[in-house]
Amino acid sequence: MTALPSLRQLRYFVAIAQELNFTRAAETCFVGQSTLSAGLKELEDGLGVRLVERDRQNVAITPIGMEILERAKAILASSQDLVEYADAAGKPMSGTIRLGVIPTIAPFLLPNVLPDIREHYPNLKIALREDLSANLLARLVDHQLDFALIALPYDTAGLLVKELFVDEFWVVARADDPALKGKDIHLPAKMAERLLLLEEGHCLRDHTMQACKRSDIRNADGVEATSLLTLLQMVESGMGIALLPEMAVKGGLLNGTTLLARPLAPPAPKRVIALVARASTAHLEEFQALAESIEARFKSSPRISRGSRKSFQRV
């Protein structure tokens, strides 16, 4: 019978894959390089496959090693969740939760929600990280984050997903822009050609293109915004128009500008704000509490509507 790999062996392998350097990998694991190399060899011998190729200059992960790497990360994350679950069983709603939030949500949602969390759960601390969706989910899987607040649609396969509320898109333009004329604002192809975008990596860029049912929108002269503030500056300078989430508009993003925002005629394009976690999370009670706090804060908004009240989804 093939010997099962140990968590120690898997940890060594993941460190090597992340560093692509045996010396640095050994340092991150607080062991000597010979111990690290021996652990990797034990893992390869036990599995009967070559995971790492190396010479004096380079370290590379084999194709089968890349597949095993993802499984190793999941096993390590689940084992850590197990330890945290046992530790938290006697003291729920305390300690520190590491929450990741995308930039098009963080400044508009967190100032409203975090005071409620502090008031109701004074022993619970939330450590924040703002980043793009892909980076947040990678950190979530690697156990560097506990939860992430993102916008759907986005690939969340294998994660615990709680849809919170619907956030519609509004058209933002200069006051004299023809796009704002008329009783109802639509998004015809001619208007879509004038849409300005965030740079690649922002899910808002993808949602904007989905709203236009196009995948080939390009900003004029290839210029793309790195943030919502830059996007507004581009619109204000007359370069085009933009679609912005309703929460950003109502959160005061246009304050200090001369721009106007109007909702699109139904059915308006939208995104769904969701809280996600690992399926094996040890912080299910905190997950539920944070989700309920966000829903309670936004459910009374006259325009921002709640998502479905269905239970958590494992997809």
Side-chain angles (χ1 to χ4, degrees), residues 229-243:
L229 289 177
T230 304
L231 190 66
L232 290 186
Q233 292 171 353
M234 292 167 65
V235 174
E236 200 161 24
S237 69
M239 295 178 64
I241 60 177
L243 288 185

Side-chain angles (χ1 to χ4, degrees), residues 46-69:
L47 296 176
V49 294
R50 184 85 176 273
L51 302 176
V52 177
E53 293 180 354
R54 62 169 167 165
D55 54 33
R56 291 184 178 180
Q57 262 93 63
N58 300 300
V59 175
I61 308 302
T62 64
I64 186 64
M66 294 300 295
E67 295 183 21
I68 291 177
L69 175 63

Side-chain angles (χ1 to χ4, degrees), residues 73-312:
K73 288 180 179 179
I75 291 171
L76 290 173
S78 294
S79 66
Q80 184 63 36
D81 282 335
L82 178 64
V83 172
E84 291 182 4
Y85 177 81
D87 183 59
K91 44 184 178 180
M93 306 307 298
S94 63
T96 300
I97 292 297
R98 299 161 298 178
L99 174 66
V101 192
I102 61 175
T104 58
I105 292 180
F108 315 113
L109 185 150
L110 295 182
N112 295 312
V113 173
L114 292 184
D116 293 343
I117 294 290
R118 285 194 293 266
E119 179 181 355
H120 290 95
Y121 309 106
N123 295 322
L124 184 66
K125 296 180 176 59
I126 298 182
L128 297 172
R129 182 180 186 88
E130 185 179 86
D131 209 335
L132 303 180
S133 298
N135 298 334
L136 293 181
L137 295 188
R139 288 179 174 273
L140 187 66
V141 171
D142 287 348
H143 212 279
Q144 297 175 36
L145 292 174
D146 297 302
F147 311 143
L149 265 171
I150 64 171
L152 306 178
Y154 201 87
D155 183 10
T156 55
L159 296 173
L160 186 65
V161 180
K162 174 64 176 176
E163 296 182 4
L164 302 174
F165 61 89
V166 171
D167 189 21
E168 293 185 351
F169 287 104
W170 289 35
V171 173
V172 175
R174 301 201 319 185
D176 58 352
D177 196 290
L180 299 182
K181 306 302 180 184
K183 182 178 180 181
D184 295 319
I185 307 297
H186 297 276
L187 198 62
K190 192 170 184 180
M191 186 189 296
E193 293 174 356
R194 300 181 55 226
L195 278 174
L196 300 171
L197 301 173
L198 290 174
E199 64 183 357
E200 289 191 19
H202 288 271
C203 59
L204 183 60
R205 173 194 178 95
D206 298 329
H207 295 158
T208 298
M209 291 192 290
Q210 289 171 9
C212 302
K213 298 181 174 56
R214 294 180 59 180
S215 60
D216 59 345
I217 300 176
R218 292 291 183 272
N219 283 355
D221 301 322
V223 178
E224 295 174 340
T226 58
S227 68
L228 289 181
L229 289 177
T230 304
L231 190 66
L232 290 186
Q233 292 171 353
M234 292 167 65
V235 174
E236 200 161 24
S237 69
M239 295 178 64
I241 60 177
L243 288 185
L244 289 185
E246 181 182 358
M247 71 158 61
V249 174
K250 293 198 167 185
L253 185 63
L254 302 187
N255 292 350
T257 75
T258 59
L259 301 175
L260 296 180
R262 288 191 61 185
L264 287 159
K270 60 184 180 294
R271 63 180 186 170
V272 177
I273 307 305
L275 185 65
V276 299
R278 292 180 302 279
S280 61
T281 181
H283 301 289
L284 195 58
E285 189 171 350
E286 292 84 352
F287 183 85
Q288 172 75 17
L290 182 56
E292 289 178 352
S293 294
I294 295 172
E295 287 186 309
R297 171 59 64 173
F298 283 91
K299 69 181 180 181
S300 59
S301 170
R303 287 278 309 173
I304 295 180
S305 58
R306 283 179 292 173
S308 62
R309 296 293 298 177
K310 56 191 174 184
S311 60
F312 304 141

Side-chain angles (χ1 to χ4, degrees), residues 31-53:
V31 298
Q33 187 171 331
S34 60
T35 300
L36 184 87
S37 298
L40 175 64
K41 186 175 186 309
E42 291 170 1
L43 179 61
E44 291 180 325
D45 291 345
L47 296 176
V49 294
R50 184 85 176 273
L51 302 176
V52 177
E53 293 180 354

